[in-house]
Amino acid sequence: MAAVGPPAAAGRFVVVGGGIAGVTCAEQLALQFPSEDILLVTASPVIKAVTNFKQVSKILEEFDVEEQASTMLESRFPNIKVIQSGVKQLKSEEHCILTEDGHQHVYGKLCLCAGAKPKLICEGNPYVLGIRDTDSAQEFQKQLTKAKRIMIIGNGGIALELVYEIEGCEVIWAIKDKAIGNTFFDAGAAEFLTSKLVSEKPEAKIAHKRTRYTTEGRKREAGGKANAENLGSALGPDWHEGLNLKGTKEFCRKIHIETMCEVKKIYLQEEFRILKKKSLTFPRDHQYKSAALDKEMWPVYVELTNEKIYGCDFIVSATGVTPNVEPFLHGNNFALGEDGGLQVDDHMHTSLPDVYAAGDICTASWQPSPVWQQMRLWTQARQMGWYAAKCMAAASVGDSIDMDFSFELFAHVTKFFNYKVVLLGKYNAQGLGSDHELMLRCTKGKEYVKVVMQNGRMMGAVLIGETDLEETFENLILNQMNLSSYGEDLLDPNIDIEDYFD
């Protein structure tokens, strides 16, 4: 029988996704198999590349994320072939993927790195923006230039950055936790950072070098707006750089935080008027007397679960992400994690033969080290993509490979509110129960150091500011040395702890 449609292109290795995990995976495979074609299938015309990679310590790493044309990747690695198309279907039994452009690609081993998409508080509302990729960040900037008041819903990294960066616009920030930055901080660290929010922002902008986004040069075909389904990959840690996040008003920062609440309902102006609802003005002072009723009419209103209603120009939904597994599920029996990701074992292998996954799309389902946890962060996307490539390479030549060292200890370095922030191990005592103690050292406006101890051993740490303790603490957590005899001295600023443990 004659074959129908375009001939199937065979590749030993196929990677899906142009974000950090996918690109790192493809690069690593290209290095290991220089005479093989590595196919990278991505829906976006640009890819995310890791640049200026720096190993800060044994496990901590810093790098910049750069958005590049896929041709740059192909010129660096002549054996990587980028196919710009979304995936329509995965036929795992036949070892092939169908792309939106009508082609089939047969694979020997496949790695799915399609990332995650923002959880929107409500779909299809023109006043609700999700920020996840370059296009949505630029759309946000455009809306902000006309805005007098916005509402931010969510308490993750993007919400934290936004609140700090926005000027000249009232911000009402609704979080479901008691304190800000719940994924990253406890209430103490949140308090340390919150004081920076209410102070004016005189300090000079530190020149970031991380991201230079370039989506201009490729105006959308047919003049249409980017199809929301064509997800770009996630933003880098300095994503707000180069975006001028100023509203219409002339003041530095006005933020009101509503804690322990979520969105109950969203009303458009018309509906709000008909229902004769009442909304509150922006709380002017920090006394908790009831806010006055708002006379101004707003395009959209948010009713919170604490019964308060505020009007605003638009709402930013920054409530986390869900793994982007949709295109791959039909007809395939993947085991999924509780968070909806593709379950992977300690060799990044999914439950289907020859199909691997890395980055935000996957759920780590191995027995983790006692001081590691999965978080959908840049660093883990890079580590997983790199390690998945190693595992695919080893399996294809029949070798076995040990678990990569980076999964021994959770370690992440980032910046919030212009402070360097290092998170190590079980930095929020995740999963340790009540059987742990905390040690703290805090110099207001300068540094915040928190150590999580259990049975005399260090299990985690949060370091905010230039503390220079990351390498020492990383070692203490890794070697699980008994530190009981040091007691409080461990954090005494007058004792040079590095000399103790060299």
Side-chain angles (χ1 to χ4, degrees):
M1 195 180 121
V4 184
R12 246 175 98 180
F13 298 107
V14 177
V15 180
V16 174
I20 285 298
V23 171
T24 305
C25 182
E27 289 180 341
Q28 194 53 40
L29 286 166
L31 286 172
Q32 293 211 264
F33 298 97
S35 56
E36 295 274 349
D37 276 353
I38 313 295
L39 297 187
L40 179 65
V41 180
T42 171
S44 164
V46 287
I47 54 104
K48 293 282 197 300
V50 168
T51 56
N52 303 330
F53 180 81
K54 211 167 65 230
Q55 196 72 46
V56 181
S57 62
K58 215 178 295 179
I59 294 182
L60 267 179
E61 54 188 50
E62 281 188 279
F63 54 85
D64 299 337
V65 174
E66 209 173 273
E67 199 166 69
Q68 301 175 345
S70 52
T71 46
M72 278 180 74
L73 181 67
E74 291 174 320
S75 62
R76 277 203 311 276
F77 297 91
N79 59 329
I80 293 183
K81 303 283 175 267
V82 179
I83 292 154
Q84 195 195 317
S85 176
V87 172
K88 197 167 169 182
Q89 198 192 348
L90 160 64
K91 296 183 172 177
S92 60
E93 301 211 336
E94 297 166 39
H95 273 57
C96 86
I97 56 171
L98 273 64
T99 44
E100 299 283 359
D101 59 13
H103 289 81
Q104 289 204 45
H105 302 281
V106 176
Y107 60 84
K109 299 217 176 298
L110 171 70
C111 192
L112 300 175
C113 307
K117 47 185 185 214
K119 290 180 198 156
L120 275 188
I121 41 180
C122 79
E123 296 289 339
N125 184 321
Y127 296 103
V128 177
L129 296 181
I131 298 189
R132 168 90 185 144
D133 52 27
T134 316
D135 290 327
S136 54
Q138 287 176 335
E139 177 62 23
F140 165 71
Q141 182 191 3
K142 214 165 70 207
Q143 299 284 346
L144 188 62
T145 54
K146 310 188 285 273
K148 288 184 294 195
R149 182 193 298 165
I150 67 168
M151 188 133 182
I152 295 178
I153 314 291
N155 201 7
I158 281 192
L160 274 171
E161 289 289 3
L162 264 186
V163 167
Y164 182 67
E165 290 294 331
I166 290 170
E167 300 180 353
C169 172
E170 296 171 345
V171 177
I172 294 172
W173 185 12
I175 60 178
K176 64 178 194 298
D177 313 292
K178 281 197 188 76
I180 68 165
N182 195 48
T183 354
F184 300 103
F185 309 121
D186 59 356
E191 181 55 39
F192 174 83
L193 287 171
T194 308
S195 62
K196 184 105 178 225
L197 274 186
V198 291
S199 71
E200 288 299 305
K201 194 168 56 168
E203 74 271 2
K205 280 275 201 301
I206 291 171
H208 289 287
K209 55 194 175 332
R210 189 134 18 195
T211 358
R212 287 294 162 261
Y213 290 122
T214 47
T215 40
E216 262 62 272
R218 28 167 259 275
K219 292 287 174 268
R220 306 257 160 230
E221 288 78 75
K225 226 190 124 209
N227 174 358
E229 295 310 299
N230 292 348
L231 291 165
S233 38
L235 287 164
D238 291 327
W239 63 272
H240 47 75
E241 273 306 299
L243 292 178
N244 179 15
L245 301 185
K246 264 191 171 5
T248 55
K249 299 194 171 180
E250 279 306 307
F251 53 76
C252 190
R253 209 191 279 121
K254 282 200 174 151
I255 294 156
H256 172 70
I257 305 175
E258 289 284 348
T259 58
M260 313 277 291
C261 66
E262 293 181 64
V263 172
K264 184 171 165 187
K265 196 162 172 17
I266 295 175
Y267 304 95
L268 296 180
Q269 192 182 76
E270 188 58 17
E271 185 185 8
F272 186 81
R273 253 204 323 256
I274 293 166
L275 292 169
K276 295 191 165 55
K277 294 270 182 191
K278 299 273 183 280
S279 72
L280 302 172
T281 56
F282 188 86
R284 286 290 156 219
D285 49 21
H286 295 296
Q287 280 76 51
Y288 287 99
K289 56 182 190 211
S290 53
L293 291 179
D294 201 349
K295 305 270 190 297
E296 195 164 345
M297 289 307 288
W298 298 92
V300 63
Y301 291 85
V302 182
E303 181 172 2
L304 300 170
T305 48
N306 62 10
E307 308 304 325
K308 294 183 184 176
I309 300 180
Y310 290 102
C312 57
D313 288 302
F314 66 92
I315 302 155
V316 178
S317 176
T319 48
V321 296
T322 43
N324 187 27
V325 295
E326 214 36 67
F328 312 107
L329 297 183
H330 180 72
N332 299 303
N333 197 11
F334 278 110
L336 297 180
E338 280 176 23
D339 56 10
L342 304 175
Q343 281 193 4
V344 290
D345 64 15
D346 57 2
H347 283 70
M348 307 311 290
H349 200 267
T350 66
S351 55
L352 298 183
D354 296 320
V355 181
Y356 295 74
D360 286 1
I361 194 175
C362 77
T363 303
S365 302
W366 63 84
Q367 187 58 52
S369 136
V371 286
W372 185 86
Q373 61 274 340
Q374 180 179 10
M375 281 180 80
R376 291 186 161 83
L377 298 166
W378 287 89
T379 36
Q380 288 194 357
R382 195 205 68 78
Q383 289 161 351
M384 285 178 168
W386 185 88
Y387 177 55
K390 288 287 200 196
C391 294
M392 291 163 79
S396 72
V397 294
D399 284 349
S400 63
I401 178 177
D402 288 335
M403 181 97 199
D404 187 67
F405 191 67
S406 58
F407 300 104
E408 287 293 309
L409 169 69
F410 175 85
H412 185 60
V413 59
T414 185
K415 253 199 161 68
F416 284 125
F417 303 179
N418 264 345
Y419 286 110
K420 175 177 170 181
V421 176
V422 176
L423 306 172
L424 296 171
K426 299 291 178 185
Y427 60 87
N428 251 351
Q430 297 95 320
L432 298 184
S434 52
D435 168 32
H436 68 271
E437 51 183 11
L438 303 178
M439 294 203 290
L440 286 177
R441 170 172 116 201
C442 178
T443 314
K444 196 172 174 169
K446 187 165 177 278
E447 59 164 24
Y448 176 91
V449 176
K450 176 185 84 169
V451 174
V452 180
M453 305 291 292
Q454 191 173 44
N455 304 326
R457 290 171 171 80
M458 193 181 292
M459 297 300 285
V462 175
L463 308 172
I464 305 178
E466 296 296 334
T467 65
D468 276 340
L469 292 168
E470 50 268 38
E471 221 166 326
T472 308
F473 283 7
E474 178 184 82
N475 286 326
L476 292 176
I477 298 172
L478 280 170
N479 66 27
Q480 288 294 289
M481 179 178 165
N482 192 330
L483 304 168
S484 309
S485 55
Y486 296 97
E488 298 290 307
D489 285 355
L490 209 50
L491 293 187
D492 185 334
N494 303 313
I495 293 176
D496 196 348
I497 185 170
E498 288 130 282
D499 296 347
Y500 260 131
F501 300 111
D502 272 354

